[in-house]
Amino acid sequence: MAVALAVAALGMAACGATPQTTLEPTTEAARTARDLLMFVFWAMVITFVLVEGALLYVLIRFRRRSGDGIPPQTHGNTPLEIGWTIAPAILVVIIVVLTVPAIFSNARAASPDALQVRAIGHQWWFEFQYPDLGVVTANELHLPVNRDVEIQLESNDVLHSFWVPSLRGKLDMVPGRANRFTIRPEVTGTFPGQCAEFCGTAHALMKFHVVVETQADFDAWVQNELSDSLTPTSDLARSGQEALTLGGCVACHTIRGTDSAGVLGPDLTHMGSRQHIAAGILENTPENMRLWLSDPQGVKPGNTMVIPELTTDQLDALVAYLEGLK
Ligand code: CUA
């Protein structure tokens, strides 16, 4: 267990400045989870050392030596049996006493001025709506720092799970039901998250990021999100917009301010401003955008994006247009 945890922590620490790990909490809810985890972990370590130590001691101290006959045969030892029944029971009671208040604090109600967010799981991406602000976006959740946020979890198809370990433990996104939780981000930065409930072929590639920023930065982001998409300024980008309309992308994607008004896929109105594409798995660079558009099944096997084979010119144009949607 200790080795597995250490390896997992190392692996996650290698993933960037804000690793996807429960061990570096940045909210009250995440600290509560980390503290419980560490208590149970060390209780297990101590129990393991005591039990295995006693076992090794007995094996060596009382091993059979040459000349030994059959040892005295005994059955049962009442004090010992009572002891090893009561000791774990006490440990379990301590864990319960620590866990129950944590469950209630994790389920606390949001303050009346909390920011409301709807997070909707899709195979295999995350939709984020801000009902009070009129913002709809995908795969990158922006939150202001030091303000309560009430997140309502829903699913468009199958079970998913919303998990940003440095902000909070995971909670399922269940079709036909709304789960809610409240968090209060305390640290600005970009925090990686992912779906944590098996939901089909591309489950492991269903990632997203939470950008926690100052209120001023958040307000600026909201203003930009509310605006229509930028009109392409170059001929290349203009032909990209045309290719997108003729290629059928409009049937699934919305780009506000254009003819694209589909609602099956992520809203692309400001996708050029996002840090990642393809539901959090690729950094948003022109090279990656080209890779994604030329081979979506190679990048994310099983994804439902239907895209015709594109010529080099069409790829150039589409990349120019989409990257320009700041
Ligand atoms: Cu969505 Cu796993």
Side-chain angles (χ1 to χ4, degrees), residues 277 282-294 299 315 319 323:
I277 58 171
L282 292 176
E283 279 187 46
N284 189 0
T285 64
E287 296 75 39
N288 283 338
M289 185 75 83
R290 169 178 280 272
L291 176 69
W292 171 235
L293 292 174
S294 58
V299 172
L315 271 175
V319 170
E323 289 292 334

Short mmCIF file of all heavy atoms in Angstrom, two decimals, residues 277 282-294 299 315 319 323:
data_model
loop_
_atom_site.label_atom_id
_atom_site.label_comp_id
_atom_site.label_asym_id
_atom_site.label_seq_id
_atom_site.Cartn_x
_atom_site.Cartn_y
_atom_site.Cartn_z
N ILE A 277 -7.52 21.14 -25.75
CA ILE A 277 -8.57 20.70 -26.68
C ILE A 277 -8.80 19.21 -26.48
O ILE A 277 -8.07 18.55 -25.74
CB ILE A 277 -8.19 21.00 -28.15
CG1 ILE A 277 -6.87 20.31 -28.52
CG2 ILE A 277 -8.11 22.50 -28.38
CD1 ILE A 277 -6.56 20.40 -30.01
N LEU A 282 -5.13 17.32 -24.90
CA LEU A 282 -4.06 17.92 -25.70
C LEU A 282 -3.96 19.40 -25.37
O LEU A 282 -4.98 20.08 -25.23
CB LEU A 282 -4.36 17.78 -27.20
CG LEU A 282 -4.32 16.40 -27.83
CD1 LEU A 282 -4.75 16.49 -29.30
CD2 LEU A 282 -2.93 15.79 -27.72
N GLU A 283 -2.74 19.92 -25.27
CA GLU A 283 -2.59 21.37 -25.13
C GLU A 283 -3.09 22.03 -26.41
O GLU A 283 -2.97 21.49 -27.50
CB GLU A 283 -1.12 21.73 -24.89
CG GLU A 283 -0.72 21.53 -23.45
CD GLU A 283 0.67 22.05 -23.18
OE1 GLU A 283 0.99 23.18 -23.62
OE2 GLU A 283 1.43 21.33 -22.53
N ASN A 284 -3.68 23.21 -26.23
CA ASN A 284 -4.26 23.89 -27.38
C ASN A 284 -3.19 24.62 -28.17
O ASN A 284 -2.89 25.78 -27.91
CB ASN A 284 -5.34 24.87 -26.89
CG ASN A 284 -6.13 25.46 -28.04
OD1 ASN A 284 -5.87 25.15 -29.20
ND2 ASN A 284 -7.09 26.30 -27.72
N THR A 285 -2.57 23.91 -29.12
CA THR A 285 -1.59 24.50 -30.02
C THR A 285 -2.06 24.23 -31.44
O THR A 285 -2.83 23.28 -31.66
CB THR A 285 -0.20 23.86 -29.85
OG1 THR A 285 -0.28 22.48 -30.23
CG2 THR A 285 0.28 23.95 -28.40
N PRO A 286 -1.60 25.03 -32.42
CA PRO A 286 -2.00 24.76 -33.81
C PRO A 286 -1.63 23.35 -34.25
O PRO A 286 -2.41 22.69 -34.95
CB PRO A 286 -1.22 25.82 -34.60
CG PRO A 286 -1.00 26.93 -33.63
CD PRO A 286 -0.84 26.27 -32.28
N GLU A 287 -0.48 22.85 -33.80
CA GLU A 287 -0.05 21.48 -34.19
C GLU A 287 -1.04 20.45 -33.65
O GLU A 287 -1.44 19.53 -34.36
CB GLU A 287 1.35 21.17 -33.63
CG GLU A 287 2.47 22.04 -34.18
CD GLU A 287 2.46 23.44 -33.59
OE1 GLU A 287 2.18 23.57 -32.38
OE2 GLU A 287 2.69 24.40 -34.34
N ASN A 288 -1.43 20.62 -32.38
CA ASN A 288 -2.35 19.64 -31.80
C ASN A 288 -3.75 19.75 -32.41
O ASN A 288 -4.45 18.76 -32.58
CB ASN A 288 -2.43 19.83 -30.28
CG ASN A 288 -1.21 19.24 -29.58
OD1 ASN A 288 -0.54 18.38 -30.13
ND2 ASN A 288 -0.95 19.70 -28.37
N MET A 289 -4.16 20.98 -32.75
CA MET A 289 -5.47 21.17 -33.39
C MET A 289 -5.49 20.43 -34.74
O MET A 289 -6.46 19.76 -35.09
CB MET A 289 -5.74 22.66 -33.60
CG MET A 289 -7.12 22.95 -34.15
SD MET A 289 -8.40 22.76 -32.90
CE MET A 289 -8.30 24.36 -32.11
N ARG A 290 -4.37 20.53 -35.45
CA ARG A 290 -4.25 19.86 -36.75
C ARG A 290 -4.30 18.34 -36.55
O ARG A 290 -5.00 17.62 -37.28
CB ARG A 290 -2.93 20.28 -37.38
CG ARG A 290 -2.49 19.51 -38.61
CD ARG A 290 -1.19 20.09 -39.13
NE ARG A 290 -1.46 21.29 -39.91
CZ ARG A 290 -1.74 21.27 -41.22
NH1 ARG A 290 -1.75 20.13 -41.86
NH2 ARG A 290 -1.99 22.37 -41.87
N LEU A 291 -3.58 17.85 -35.54
CA LEU A 291 -3.57 16.42 -35.24
C LEU A 291 -4.99 15.94 -34.91
O LEU A 291 -5.45 14.92 -35.41
CB LEU A 291 -2.64 16.16 -34.04
CG LEU A 291 -2.58 14.74 -33.49
CD1 LEU A 291 -1.90 13.83 -34.51
CD2 LEU A 291 -1.83 14.69 -32.17
N TRP A 292 -5.67 16.70 -34.09
CA TRP A 292 -7.02 16.34 -33.64
C TRP A 292 -7.98 16.28 -34.82
O TRP A 292 -8.77 15.35 -34.96
CB TRP A 292 -7.45 17.34 -32.58
CG TRP A 292 -8.86 17.29 -32.12
CD1 TRP A 292 -9.76 18.32 -32.13
CD2 TRP A 292 -9.57 16.17 -31.53
NE1 TRP A 292 -10.95 17.91 -31.60
CE2 TRP A 292 -10.87 16.60 -31.22
CE3 TRP A 292 -9.21 14.86 -31.26
CZ2 TRP A 292 -11.82 15.75 -30.66
CZ3 TRP A 292 -10.16 14.02 -30.70
CH2 TRP A 292 -11.45 14.48 -30.40
N LEU A 293 -7.92 17.30 -35.70
CA LEU A 293 -8.85 17.36 -36.82
C LEU A 293 -8.52 16.33 -37.89
O LEU A 293 -9.41 15.84 -38.60
CB LEU A 293 -8.82 18.76 -37.46
CG LEU A 293 -9.38 19.89 -36.60
CD1 LEU A 293 -9.15 21.23 -37.28
CD2 LEU A 293 -10.86 19.68 -36.32
N SER A 294 -7.23 15.96 -38.01
CA SER A 294 -6.87 15.02 -39.07
C SER A 294 -7.07 13.57 -38.63
O SER A 294 -7.26 12.70 -39.46
CB SER A 294 -5.43 15.25 -39.54
OG SER A 294 -4.56 15.11 -38.43
N VAL A 299 -6.51 10.07 -31.87
CA VAL A 299 -6.26 10.82 -30.63
C VAL A 299 -7.15 10.31 -29.51
O VAL A 299 -6.71 10.12 -28.38
CB VAL A 299 -6.50 12.33 -30.87
CG1 VAL A 299 -6.43 13.09 -29.56
CG2 VAL A 299 -5.50 12.88 -31.87
N LEU A 315 -7.23 21.64 -43.78
CA LEU A 315 -6.70 21.58 -42.41
C LEU A 315 -6.10 22.92 -42.01
O LEU A 315 -6.38 23.45 -40.93
CB LEU A 315 -5.63 20.49 -42.31
CG LEU A 315 -6.12 19.08 -41.94
CD1 LEU A 315 -4.95 18.10 -42.01
CD2 LEU A 315 -6.74 19.08 -40.55
N VAL A 319 -7.67 25.06 -38.93
CA VAL A 319 -6.82 25.36 -37.77
C VAL A 319 -6.75 26.88 -37.57
O VAL A 319 -6.89 27.38 -36.45
CB VAL A 319 -5.40 24.76 -37.94
CG1 VAL A 319 -4.47 25.28 -36.86
CG2 VAL A 319 -5.47 23.24 -37.89
N GLU A 323 -8.32 28.34 -34.13
CA GLU A 323 -7.37 28.94 -33.19
C GLU A 323 -7.64 30.44 -33.02
O GLU A 323 -7.26 31.04 -32.02
CB GLU A 323 -5.93 28.72 -33.65
CG GLU A 323 -5.45 27.27 -33.51
CD GLU A 323 -5.31 26.83 -32.06
OE1 GLU A 323 -5.10 27.68 -31.19
OE2 GLU A 323 -5.46 25.61 -31.80
#
